[in-house]
Amino acid sequence: MLKQLYIKNFTLIDELDMEFHSGFSVITGETGAGKSIILGAIGLLLGQRADSKSVKMGTDRCVIEAHFDLSRYQMEDFFEQNEIDFDADDTIIRRELTAAGKSRAFINDTPVALTMLKELGERLVDVHSQHQNLLLNKQDFQLSVVDVIANDAKELDDYATTYARYQELKKEEQRLREEIEQGRQSVDFMQFQYDELSSARLSDGEQEELEQRSETMSHSEDIKSALYEAETALLGDENGLVSNLKHAVSALQGIERVYPDVAELAERMNSCYIELKDAADEVSAKLETVDFDPAELDTVNDRLDRIYALQKKYKVDTVAALLAIQDDLERKLSNIENSDEALAELERQVAAAQKAVQSKADVLTKKRQKAAQEIEKQMQSRLVPLGMPHVRFQIVIEQEPLGRSGQDKVSFLFSANTSTPLQPVAQVASGGEIARVMLSLKAMISGAVKLPTIIFDEIDTGVSGKIAEQMAQIMAEMGRCDRQVISITHLPQIAALGTTHYKVYKEETPQGTTSHMQMLTPNERITEIAQMLSGSDVSDAAIQNAKELLKL
């Protein structure tokens, strides 16, 4: 549950540091006092998009921080999966926004992406505002209510996995059908292309080797001349380097006995002689192998021309790319040749997958039908005390083509009177009736999903008197079931049933208008509820009435 909320420099709030308590709490205040600002701050903590205009004018950044007690809600898995430190007694989420528009989010002082903050926020707080009543017109919302009560999350996951596989197989089947059809229309051309490439007998790396051979043969005379000059310089009869070096070595070796200092020098020069003699022999060998053969050069260039022509035709730059095209053509031709067998096998897989999906969809349908009956009973028992003695609430589940959530189309039908036929709830219910329907749904859902904190933002719109008191009792009951319920209200009947009462108010200062929030003492509650009953001029009768509402 929410233990503490700290807000600094957010719109009209200079600084707010407020403790919250378990059970049913209420927040009151005049219209425009700043209740929506506090909700907006909480929304930022839950991952909503930020606007730099929210930063209080004249400041460079705002900070919103909340502390939660999660000791009873088994949320360790979220923190382990995201490698965030977990403190069940004091989980801290913080949002910072600068006037320049930069936003940062933290969970237990670990920087996180906004999507992660939103994921955690959805498990921490459910904010029900008036616009959420429009959800009653959304089929996916109605289906999600049924799924929550059906407790079919595991079955939904199993179905989703099977359905995704079924969709993949259907796409593969369609792709193969299109490929076969296109192939049959162009099989002759593909066969011609394949034969052309296949007959070329291409090999990877061939082009580079041929280009090098062509380059060498084209310059064979230059190569031979250079090798000849090198051989003459090394092995010439009179001035060859090899014979001169050999002569020098012999001369030094002849005086080693009488002049030992030249021994090392003679050895070094002899090593050079051996290396130089070996190099000279290699030059001679290469000279004998170099020979210009015009016919061979023509053969190499003809082969290169064919490769270049194929590359130009197929708009590629390498033999490897040509070979890839050849392989692809071979695969397509093989598919066409074996298309009937391949398509039949894929059709069999699709049929098996469809059967599996249908089976899992049927399991979902049965669970949803059972849950729908339970919801109808609960809604009947919850709505009658809320001033609708003749209410009828029915859930219709119709079959539709298999989709991501199964095969069920869910519709909530409603009638507040025996004479009015059942119709879609969003089309026939009044504002006050929709508020009561949504509160009943939320109360029912909260029993199935352990959300730590539920905030109702003026869910009492369109009701008053005893009905408002009944709605407050439902919220109070929700607050007694291991969760925290906070209601923002203008109705004294609801405010009086809160175990904790907060007031939001505005104050005019020399620096401008600021919003504040305070937890009311018992005496302050009496005054606040009396003002809600009679206005700013609090009468003795209003005070007495407030005490009666507070059961004092």
PDB file of all heavy atoms in Angstrom, residues 13-37:
ATOM      1  N   ILE A  13       1.994  23.016  -6.419  1.00  0.00           N
ATOM      2  CA  ILE A  13       2.462  22.494  -5.132  1.00  0.00           C
ATOM      3  C   ILE A  13       3.930  22.862  -4.929  1.00  0.00           C
ATOM      4  O   ILE A  13       4.792  22.490  -5.731  1.00  0.00           O
ATOM      5  CB  ILE A  13       2.293  20.963  -5.064  1.00  0.00           C
ATOM      6  CG1 ILE A  13       0.799  20.596  -5.150  1.00  0.00           C
ATOM      7  CG2 ILE A  13       2.905  20.409  -3.783  1.00  0.00           C
ATOM      8  CD1 ILE A  13       0.539  19.113  -5.201  1.00  0.00           C
ATOM      9  N   ASP A  14       4.204  23.629  -3.848  1.00  0.00           N
ATOM     10  CA  ASP A  14       5.595  23.930  -3.492  1.00  0.00           C
ATOM     11  C   ASP A  14       6.261  22.677  -2.932  1.00  0.00           C
ATOM     12  O   ASP A  14       7.279  22.221  -3.427  1.00  0.00           O
ATOM     13  CB  ASP A  14       5.656  25.048  -2.450  1.00  0.00           C
ATOM     14  CG  ASP A  14       5.363  26.412  -3.063  1.00  0.00           C
ATOM     15  OD1 ASP A  14       5.690  26.596  -4.239  1.00  0.00           O
ATOM     16  OD2 ASP A  14       4.810  27.266  -2.358  1.00  0.00           O
ATOM     17  N   GLU A  15       5.674  22.149  -1.886  1.00  0.00           N
ATOM     18  CA  GLU A  15       6.200  20.931  -1.263  1.00  0.00           C
ATOM     19  C   GLU A  15       5.090  20.265  -0.469  1.00  0.00           C
ATOM     20  O   GLU A  15       4.355  20.929   0.282  1.00  0.00           O
ATOM     21  CB  GLU A  15       7.395  21.243  -0.356  1.00  0.00           C
ATOM     22  CG  GLU A  15       8.096  19.999   0.159  1.00  0.00           C
ATOM     23  CD  GLU A  15       9.398  20.329   0.865  1.00  0.00           C
ATOM     24  OE1 GLU A  15       9.482  21.431   1.454  1.00  0.00           O
ATOM     25  OE2 GLU A  15      10.319  19.503   0.826  1.00  0.00           O
ATOM     26  N   LEU A  16       4.965  18.979  -0.648  1.00  0.00           N
ATOM     27  CA  LEU A  16       3.939  18.211   0.061  1.00  0.00           C
ATOM     28  C   LEU A  16       4.580  16.913   0.520  1.00  0.00           C
ATOM     29  O   LEU A  16       5.247  16.217  -0.256  1.00  0.00           O
ATOM     30  CB  LEU A  16       2.754  17.926  -0.866  1.00  0.00           C
ATOM     31  CG  LEU A  16       1.552  17.168  -0.291  1.00  0.00           C
ATOM     32  CD1 LEU A  16       0.276  17.611  -0.996  1.00  0.00           C
ATOM     33  CD2 LEU A  16       1.707  15.654  -0.450  1.00  0.00           C
ATOM     34  N   ASP A  17       4.402  16.580   1.782  1.00  0.00           N
ATOM     35  CA  ASP A  17       4.926  15.330   2.334  1.00  0.00           C
ATOM     36  C   ASP A  17       3.828  14.734   3.210  1.00  0.00           C
ATOM     37  O   ASP A  17       3.592  15.199   4.323  1.00  0.00           O
ATOM     38  CB  ASP A  17       6.189  15.601   3.149  1.00  0.00           C
ATOM     39  CG  ASP A  17       6.944  14.321   3.489  1.00  0.00           C
ATOM     40  OD1 ASP A  17       6.442  13.234   3.130  1.00  0.00           O
ATOM     41  OD2 ASP A  17       8.021  14.406   4.091  1.00  0.00           O
ATOM     42  N   MET A  18       3.143  13.721   2.660  1.00  0.00           N
ATOM     43  CA  MET A  18       1.937  13.230   3.317  1.00  0.00           C
ATOM     44  C   MET A  18       2.023  11.728   3.555  1.00  0.00           C
ATOM     45  O   MET A  18       2.424  10.962   2.680  1.00  0.00           O
ATOM     46  CB  MET A  18       0.716  13.537   2.431  1.00  0.00           C
ATOM     47  CG  MET A  18      -0.612  13.206   3.077  1.00  0.00           C
ATOM     48  SD  MET A  18      -0.921  14.134   4.606  1.00  0.00           S
ATOM     49  CE  MET A  18      -0.769  15.819   4.015  1.00  0.00           C
ATOM     50  N   GLU A  19       1.647  11.307   4.776  1.00  0.00           N
ATOM     51  CA  GLU A  19       1.573   9.885   5.102  1.00  0.00           C
ATOM     52  C   GLU A  19       0.164   9.373   4.811  1.00  0.00           C
ATOM     53  O   GLU A  19      -0.821  10.089   5.004  1.00  0.00           O
ATOM     54  CB  GLU A  19       1.907   9.655   6.578  1.00  0.00           C
ATOM     55  CG  GLU A  19       3.357   9.921   6.935  1.00  0.00           C
ATOM     56  CD  GLU A  19       3.660   9.567   8.377  1.00  0.00           C
ATOM     57  OE1 GLU A  19       2.728   9.083   9.066  1.00  0.00           O
ATOM     58  OE2 GLU A  19       4.802   9.761   8.812  1.00  0.00           O
ATOM     59  N   PHE A  20       0.089   8.117   4.347  1.00  0.00           N
ATOM     60  CA  PHE A  20      -1.195   7.489   4.085  1.00  0.00           C
ATOM     61  C   PHE A  20      -1.307   6.218   4.920  1.00  0.00           C
ATOM     62  O   PHE A  20      -0.310   5.655   5.366  1.00  0.00           O
ATOM     63  CB  PHE A  20      -1.347   7.166   2.597  1.00  0.00           C
ATOM     64  CG  PHE A  20      -1.552   8.386   1.745  1.00  0.00           C
ATOM     65  CD1 PHE A  20      -0.462   9.119   1.291  1.00  0.00           C
ATOM     66  CD2 PHE A  20      -2.819   8.817   1.410  1.00  0.00           C
ATOM     67  CE1 PHE A  20      -0.626  10.249   0.514  1.00  0.00           C
ATOM     68  CE2 PHE A  20      -3.007   9.945   0.627  1.00  0.00           C
ATOM     69  CZ  PHE A  20      -1.909  10.664   0.184  1.00  0.00           C
ATOM     70  N   HIS A  21      -2.542   5.762   5.104  1.00  0.00           N
ATOM     71  CA  HIS A  21      -2.803   4.631   5.993  1.00  0.00           C
ATOM     72  C   HIS A  21      -3.630   3.578   5.272  1.00  0.00           C
ATOM     73  O   HIS A  21      -4.218   3.827   4.215  1.00  0.00           O
ATOM     74  CB  HIS A  21      -3.516   5.118   7.253  1.00  0.00           C
ATOM     75  CG  HIS A  21      -2.751   6.180   7.996  1.00  0.00           C
ATOM     76  ND1 HIS A  21      -1.749   5.888   8.897  1.00  0.00           N
ATOM     77  CD2 HIS A  21      -2.828   7.544   7.944  1.00  0.00           C
ATOM     78  CE1 HIS A  21      -1.245   7.022   9.367  1.00  0.00           C
ATOM     79  NE2 HIS A  21      -1.885   8.043   8.812  1.00  0.00           N
ATOM     80  N   SER A  22      -3.662   2.407   5.852  1.00  0.00           N
ATOM     81  CA  SER A  22      -4.444   1.322   5.277  1.00  0.00           C
ATOM     82  C   SER A  22      -5.929   1.582   5.485  1.00  0.00           C
ATOM     83  O   SER A  22      -6.330   2.516   6.180  1.00  0.00           O
ATOM     84  CB  SER A  22      -4.034  -0.013   5.908  1.00  0.00           C
ATOM     85  OG  SER A  22      -4.267   0.027   7.305  1.00  0.00           O
ATOM     86  N   GLY A  23      -6.754   0.725   4.880  1.00  0.00           N
ATOM     87  CA  GLY A  23      -8.188   0.880   5.023  1.00  0.00           C
ATOM     88  C   GLY A  23      -8.755   1.857   4.017  1.00  0.00           C
ATOM     89  O   GLY A  23      -8.208   2.066   2.935  1.00  0.00           O
ATOM     90  N   PHE A  24      -9.849   2.492   4.379  1.00  0.00           N
ATOM     91  CA  PHE A  24     -10.583   3.392   3.488  1.00  0.00           C
ATOM     92  C   PHE A  24     -10.307   4.837   3.874  1.00  0.00           C
ATOM     93  O   PHE A  24     -10.634   5.275   4.979  1.00  0.00           O
ATOM     94  CB  PHE A  24     -12.079   3.086   3.566  1.00  0.00           C
ATOM     95  CG  PHE A  24     -12.940   3.996   2.740  1.00  0.00           C
ATOM     96  CD1 PHE A  24     -12.574   4.351   1.445  1.00  0.00           C
ATOM     97  CD2 PHE A  24     -14.132   4.506   3.242  1.00  0.00           C
ATOM     98  CE1 PHE A  24     -13.364   5.186   0.670  1.00  0.00           C
ATOM     99  CE2 PHE A  24     -14.939   5.338   2.481  1.00  0.00           C
ATOM    100  CZ  PHE A  24     -14.554   5.678   1.196  1.00  0.00           C
ATOM    101  N   SER A  25      -9.675   5.578   2.974  1.00  0.00           N
ATOM    102  CA  SER A  25      -9.381   6.989   3.214  1.00  0.00           C
ATOM    103  C   SER A  25     -10.149   7.841   2.219  1.00  0.00           C
ATOM    104  O   SER A  25     -10.485   7.386   1.111  1.00  0.00           O
ATOM    105  CB  SER A  25      -7.881   7.262   3.064  1.00  0.00           C
ATOM    106  OG  SER A  25      -7.127   6.489   3.973  1.00  0.00           O
ATOM    107  N   VAL A  26     -10.419   9.094   2.595  1.00  0.00           N
ATOM    108  CA  VAL A  26     -11.128  10.000   1.702  1.00  0.00           C
ATOM    109  C   VAL A  26     -10.331  11.292   1.550  1.00  0.00           C
ATOM    110  O   VAL A  26      -9.596  11.701   2.462  1.00  0.00           O
ATOM    111  CB  VAL A  26     -12.553  10.315   2.218  1.00  0.00           C
ATOM    112  CG1 VAL A  26     -13.418   9.066   2.188  1.00  0.00           C
ATOM    113  CG2 VAL A  26     -12.510  10.926   3.617  1.00  0.00           C
ATOM    114  N   ILE A  27     -10.463  11.903   0.380  1.00  0.00           N
ATOM    115  CA  ILE A  27      -9.842  13.198   0.104  1.00  0.00           C
ATOM    116  C   ILE A  27     -10.939  14.141  -0.356  1.00  0.00           C
ATOM    117  O   ILE A  27     -11.676  13.837  -1.298  1.00  0.00           O
ATOM    118  CB  ILE A  27      -8.761  13.084  -0.989  1.00  0.00           C
ATOM    119  CG1 ILE A  27      -7.638  12.126  -0.547  1.00  0.00           C
ATOM    120  CG2 ILE A  27      -8.178  14.454  -1.307  1.00  0.00           C
ATOM    121  CD1 ILE A  27      -6.596  11.877  -1.617  1.00  0.00           C
ATOM    122  N   THR A  28     -11.063  15.257   0.327  1.00  0.00           N
ATOM    123  CA  THR A  28     -12.077  16.246  -0.038  1.00  0.00           C
ATOM    124  C   THR A  28     -11.408  17.579  -0.314  1.00  0.00           C
ATOM    125  O   THR A  28     -10.219  17.770  -0.070  1.00  0.00           O
ATOM    126  CB  THR A  28     -13.126  16.392   1.078  1.00  0.00           C
ATOM    127  OG1 THR A  28     -12.469  16.845   2.272  1.00  0.00           O
ATOM    128  CG2 THR A  28     -13.829  15.074   1.351  1.00  0.00           C
ATOM    129  N   GLY A  29     -12.186  18.508  -0.798  1.00  0.00           N
ATOM    130  CA  GLY A  29     -11.678  19.838  -1.117  1.00  0.00           C
ATOM    131  C   GLY A  29     -12.531  20.463  -2.190  1.00  0.00           C
ATOM    132  O   GLY A  29     -13.200  19.767  -2.973  1.00  0.00           O
ATOM    133  N   GLU A  30     -12.534  21.788  -2.218  1.00  0.00           N
ATOM    134  CA  GLU A  30     -13.345  22.484  -3.207  1.00  0.00           C
ATOM    135  C   GLU A  30     -12.845  22.215  -4.619  1.00  0.00           C
ATOM    136  O   GLU A  30     -11.683  21.862  -4.842  1.00  0.00           O
ATOM    137  CB  GLU A  30     -13.324  23.994  -2.925  1.00  0.00           C
ATOM    138  CG  GLU A  30     -13.942  24.386  -1.597  1.00  0.00           C
ATOM    139  CD  GLU A  30     -13.890  25.892  -1.376  1.00  0.00           C
ATOM    140  OE1 GLU A  30     -13.340  26.594  -2.252  1.00  0.00           O
ATOM    141  OE2 GLU A  30     -14.381  26.344  -0.338  1.00  0.00           O
ATOM    142  N   THR A  31     -13.731  22.407  -5.569  1.00  0.00           N
ATOM    143  CA  THR A  31     -13.336  22.263  -6.970  1.00  0.00           C
ATOM    144  C   THR A  31     -12.214  23.248  -7.292  1.00  0.00           C
ATOM    145  O   THR A  31     -12.300  24.428  -6.972  1.00  0.00           O
ATOM    146  CB  THR A  31     -14.541  22.528  -7.890  1.00  0.00           C
ATOM    147  OG1 THR A  31     -15.571  21.590  -7.578  1.00  0.00           O
ATOM    148  CG2 THR A  31     -14.140  22.388  -9.355  1.00  0.00           C
ATOM    149  N   GLY A  32     -11.140  22.728  -7.908  1.00  0.00           N
ATOM    150  CA  GLY A  32     -10.003  23.583  -8.249  1.00  0.00           C
ATOM    151  C   GLY A  32      -8.980  23.725  -7.152  1.00  0.00           C
ATOM    152  O   GLY A  32      -7.989  24.449  -7.307  1.00  0.00           O
ATOM    153  N   ALA A  33      -9.194  23.029  -6.024  1.00  0.00           N
ATOM    154  CA  ALA A  33      -8.264  23.166  -4.901  1.00  0.00           C
ATOM    155  C   ALA A  33      -6.929  22.471  -5.176  1.00  0.00           C
ATOM    156  O   ALA A  33      -5.910  22.824  -4.588  1.00  0.00           O
ATOM    157  CB  ALA A  33      -8.885  22.604  -3.629  1.00  0.00           C
ATOM    158  N   GLY A  34      -6.933  21.477  -6.067  1.00  0.00           N
ATOM    159  CA  GLY A  34      -5.673  20.802  -6.388  1.00  0.00           C
ATOM    160  C   GLY A  34      -5.725  19.296  -6.287  1.00  0.00           C
ATOM    161  O   GLY A  34      -4.690  18.630  -6.364  1.00  0.00           O
ATOM    162  N   LYS A  35      -6.931  18.722  -6.135  1.00  0.00           N
ATOM    163  CA  LYS A  35      -7.030  17.259  -6.048  1.00  0.00           C
ATOM    164  C   LYS A  35      -6.533  16.602  -7.329  1.00  0.00           C
ATOM    165  O   LYS A  35      -5.842  15.581  -7.311  1.00  0.00           O
ATOM    166  CB  LYS A  35      -8.479  16.853  -5.751  1.00  0.00           C
ATOM    167  CG  LYS A  35      -9.032  17.406  -4.436  1.00  0.00           C
ATOM    168  CD  LYS A  35     -10.414  16.879  -4.141  1.00  0.00           C
ATOM    169  CE  LYS A  35     -11.451  17.346  -5.147  1.00  0.00           C
ATOM    170  NZ  LYS A  35     -11.638  18.813  -5.129  1.00  0.00           N
ATOM    171  N   SER A  36      -6.879  17.199  -8.463  1.00  0.00           N
ATOM    172  CA  SER A  36      -6.445  16.636  -9.744  1.00  0.00           C
ATOM    173  C   SER A  36      -4.926  16.752  -9.918  1.00  0.00           C
ATOM    174  O   SER A  36      -4.308  15.941 -10.606  1.00  0.00           O
ATOM    175  CB  SER A  36      -7.148  17.345 -10.903  1.00  0.00           C
ATOM    176  OG  SER A  36      -6.830  18.730 -10.907  1.00  0.00           O
ATOM    177  N   ILE A  37      -4.322  17.765  -9.273  1.00  0.00           N
ATOM    178  CA  ILE A  37      -2.865  17.914  -9.338  1.00  0.00           C
ATOM    179  C   ILE A  37      -2.190  16.745  -8.632  1.00  0.00           C
ATOM    180  O   ILE A  37      -1.220  16.167  -9.138  1.00  0.00           O
ATOM    181  CB  ILE A  37      -2.438  19.246  -8.708  1.00  0.00           C
ATOM    182  CG1 ILE A  37      -3.001  20.428  -9.525  1.00  0.00           C
ATOM    183  CG2 ILE A  37      -0.918  19.332  -8.600  1.00  0.00           C
ATOM    184  CD1 ILE A  37      -2.724  21.777  -8.904  1.00  0.00           C
TER     185      ILE A  37
END
